[in-house]
Amino acid sequence: MSGRRSPAVRAPKPNEHERAQRQAAVEILLRRALHGVISIPEAAVLADYWRAERELADKTRRSLGETTRALQRNREAADAEIQRLEARVAELEGVLGRAGEAEAA
């Protein structure tokens, strides 16, 4: 065995830790709200956390859309290059075929 071994579990990124804490707090605050015992400051925190999650979801959606468009552009460029190379191969095969026929004659 050679090479570097990667750890079985990677450390969470700072934003992942913050998001997990935010989601846990939202769950607790929602339970309290469902039981009718949420305070006004807790409701404000819940609203802030909900807004943060929405903003993150919107940012992720935009990023995925940009990635999808970039992948599509790359696919189209690759398809065009494949077609160009296939045409070049066919052209070269035609030239080699004609050269072979000329030698045989």
Side-chain angles (χ1 to χ4, degrees), residues 20-80:
Q21 284 183 323
R22 192 168 53 239
Q23 289 174 342
V26 165
E27 286 299 320
I28 292 167
L29 292 170
L30 285 175
R31 265 188 249 121
R32 289 181 53 77
L34 289 171
H35 288 95
V37 292
I38 192 169
S39 68
I40 291 174
E42 288 172 329
V45 169
L46 178 59
D48 286 344
Y49 284 175
W50 180 83
R51 287 184 195 102
E53 286 297 314
R54 282 300 305 224
E55 184 178 320
L56 181 61
D58 291 345
K59 182 179 175 183
T60 300
R61 191 175 307 107
R62 282 189 303 272
S63 177
L64 290 174
E66 291 168 6
T67 300
T68 299
R69 286 187 292 280
L71 287 171
Q72 184 60 33
R73 284 191 304 271
N74 287 342
R75 278 189 209 105
E76 290 168 359
D79 287 344

Side-chain angles (χ1 to χ4, degrees), residues 78-96 98:
D79 287 344
E81 184 64 12
I82 288 168
Q83 289 174 359
R84 186 190 71 76
L85 291 172
E86 287 174 341
R88 181 68 177 140
V89 166
E91 177 187 325
L92 291 174
E93 286 174 342
V95 168
L96 290 175
R98 286 192 300 273

